[in-house]
Amino acid sequence: MRLLLARPLLVAGLTPDEDFRLVRAMAAPLREWFDRETGWRLHIDAQTARLFKTTTDLDDLTRPARDPKAGTPFGRQRYVLTCLALAVLERADRQITLGRLAEQILLAATDPELFALGFRFELDRREERADLVAVVRLQLDWGTLRRVGGDEESFLNAAGDVLYDVDRRVLSNLLTSVTGPSLIQHDDTSARVAAMTAEAVHDSDDLRNRALRHRLTRRLLEEPVVYYGELTEAELGYLRSQRAQITSRITEATGLIAEVRAEGIAMVDPDDELTDVRMPAQGMRSHLALLLAEHIATQPDGVPLADLHELTRQLAVKHQAYWRKDATDPGAEVDLVDAALATLSSLKLVLVQRAPQHRAVPRPAIARYALAEPEIRQRGKEATA
């Protein structure tokens, strides 16, 4: 269960053999649990194990795809390239070179509809080749491509090519939409995504309650915190009556422990494994995120971003012996604060308000990072416990 939640696409040869055999051996009870509690479909065969998760929040921008090597988040250009690459690979032979993949993507990028939307892609600049290499590294991480020979760095430097095997079994298991994209008639992107993930409306109490259980269990499994204020009236009512049953079933299956507070519920992992964003963690950026969280937690009305920039400049000087040297460079504080707030936002600890407020507002779960004033107690007979 934990393996599939952490990585919903497992591929033989890329996943440790013992782990993959374990998932295959437990296929029946895993399918039953996911179907009953989340409504997610689980497909397992000799080469792949795919948990078809559906997103709990279409507007959540805090979990982008990332370059597996550099860790940089994908932007609009790389997402479009990913879709074009998958379309090319679907029609490709069993093997393909990176140069051939690039040629086919360049051809696909000339589509008039993409051109009308302002998408442009060429390979004249290193930055454009870097975008394509990041997309290929993501395919290698997923298992849609297997490197046979060569190295992406040589292509990046325009000094060589790379040969890959194309795994169609993995390709066929990537899309998780409820409705196929080709069946959607909307032109607006947001409407298309909503229609792709929309589930049937149920007309009986049992089916409606089942749908509520699915939505709540998905959120508890996927989100760092589920705030009561984010739920619909029906979801909140069902959770209040079924909270103990839902959280106990999750705990039994995954080992996650429910932390219930006045504002919401967090399913906490004692082993700190089922998360893609750790807080705290090692490194300068995590240290800064922790320090800013401590500061923001004490400001119920929020903190202007300009104040966080100034605080970061001071912290960079204070910790310059431990932080990177460029942390004290003029203007470095802007990128540092943006990265720290991205971490805090993804953990639902802060709400970043852009124009016109330009401030970071604390959310309830950030209270755990607020340091209280020290209480000094005297030793002796009258000392308190």
Side-chain angles (χ1 to χ4, degrees):
M1 188 75 71
R2 292 168 67 87
L3 286 167
L4 287 166
L5 290 173
R7 191 173 179 87
L9 174 59
L10 304 176
V11 181
L14 296 180
T15 304
D17 291 343
E18 183 179 352
D19 291 343
F20 194 79
R21 284 196 298 267
L22 176 62
V23 171
R24 290 197 65 199
M26 299 297 293
L30 286 168
R31 285 196 191 97
E32 180 184 357
W33 194 92
F34 279 118
D35 178 67
R36 183 181 68 249
E37 303 300 334
T38 68
W40 289 334
R41 182 167 61 91
L42 176 61
H43 170 80
I44 298 177
D45 58 33
Q47 298 297 323
T48 61
R50 178 60 159 133
L51 177 61
F52 289 90
K53 291 183 180 180
T54 50
T55 182
T56 56
D57 183 1
L58 295 176
D59 298 320
D60 184 6
L61 305 178
T62 64
R63 295 172 178 83
R66 294 183 180 274
D67 181 339
K69 182 176 181 180
T72 52
F74 274 33
R76 179 174 179 266
Q77 179 94 343
R78 291 185 177 183
Y79 280 122
V80 176
L81 287 176
T82 300
C83 293
L84 293 178
L86 292 173
V88 170
L89 292 175
E90 190 177 31
R91 298 187 296 269
D93 295 330
R94 294 183 62 182
Q95 288 190 323
I96 192 170
T97 64
L98 182 47
R100 177 62 175 169
L101 177 61
E103 291 173 2
Q104 293 298 309
I105 290 176
L106 284 171
L107 181 61
T110 61
D111 185 281
E113 291 188 24
L114 282 176
F115 193 84
L117 292 172
F119 179 75
R120 307 286 187 275
F121 180 67
E122 298 176 352
L123 289 173
D124 298 334
R125 296 183 296 114
R126 180 183 173 87
E127 292 80 3
E128 293 170 321
R129 293 197 298 275
D131 286 337
L132 180 57
V133 166
V135 169
V136 168
R137 285 173 177 157
L138 185 63
Q139 305 308 311
L140 290 168
D141 186 61
W142 285 348
T144 52
L145 292 176
R146 304 284 184 99
R147 189 186 299 107
V148 177
D151 181 77
E152 288 78 30
E153 288 296 327
S154 62
F155 178 85
L156 189 58
N157 296 320
D161 210 341
V162 195
L163 177 65
Y164 305 104
D165 286 334
V166 180
D167 194 327
R168 298 189 179 282
R169 291 165 300 188
V170 179
L171 270 170
S172 65
N173 283 324
L174 286 182
L175 193 62
T176 63
S177 64
V178 176
T179 303
S182 61
L183 301 177
I184 306 300
Q185 302 300 318
H186 301 287
D187 294 327
D188 178 71
T189 301
S190 297
R192 285 180 61 83
V193 174
M196 286 169 58
T197 57
E199 297 182 290
V201 178
H202 303 290
D203 56 1
S204 72
D205 289 343
D206 287 345
L207 291 177
R208 279 193 291 269
N209 286 338
R210 179 183 172 89
L212 287 170
R213 184 174 72 250
H214 288 173
R215 292 203 299 270
L216 290 168
T217 304
R218 291 173 188 176
R219 296 189 68 157
L220 289 167
L221 286 171
E222 291 288 280
E223 299 181 17
V225 184
V226 175
Y227 290 115
Y228 297 141
E230 297 175 331
L231 302 178
T232 65
E233 183 177 347
E235 290 171 339
L236 183 57
Y238 187 84
L239 182 59
R240 282 174 173 165
S241 65
Q242 301 294 320
R243 184 193 69 200
Q245 292 87 334
I246 292 175
T247 56
S248 64
R249 285 194 290 265
I250 292 176
T251 299
E252 180 182 3
T254 68
L256 298 174
I257 298 174
E259 182 177 303
V260 182
R261 302 287 177 134
E263 301 87 0
I265 303 175
M267 299 303 300
V268 180
D269 182 14
D271 297 326
D272 195 28
E273 294 174 344
L274 295 184
T275 180
D276 48 5
V277 180
R278 285 178 169 79
M279 176 80 173
Q282 294 183 345
M284 178 193 70
R285 292 180 181 272
S286 180
H287 186 199
L288 175 61
L290 188 62
L291 294 173
L292 294 186
E294 175 190 336
H295 179 69
I296 297 170
T298 62
Q299 310 293 322
D301 295 327
V303 184
L305 299 187
D307 291 356
L308 294 179
H309 294 157
E310 175 59 32
L311 175 60
T312 300
R313 284 192 290 268
Q314 297 172 13
L315 291 170
V317 174
K318 180 179 179 181
H319 300 288
Q320 59 183 335
Y322 309 100
W323 288 10
R324 292 200 318 251
K325 292 182 179 179
D326 61 1
T328 56
D329 291 349
E333 69 279 356
V334 176
D335 289 338
L336 290 174
V337 169
D338 284 347
L341 291 180
T343 296
L344 299 178
S345 296
S346 67
L347 294 172
K348 301 180 76 170
L349 300 176
V350 302
L351 178 64
V352 180
Q353 299 175 337
R354 299 296 177 180
Q357 295 91 349
H358 295 289
R359 63 195 304 110
V361 180
R363 304 189 74 178
I366 204 173
R368 66 174 60 226
Y369 297 101
L371 295 183
E373 290 297 322
E375 179 183 348
I376 300 176
R377 299 177 179 178
Q378 301 295 328
R379 293 180 180 273
K381 294 181 179 180
E382 296 182 0
T384 57

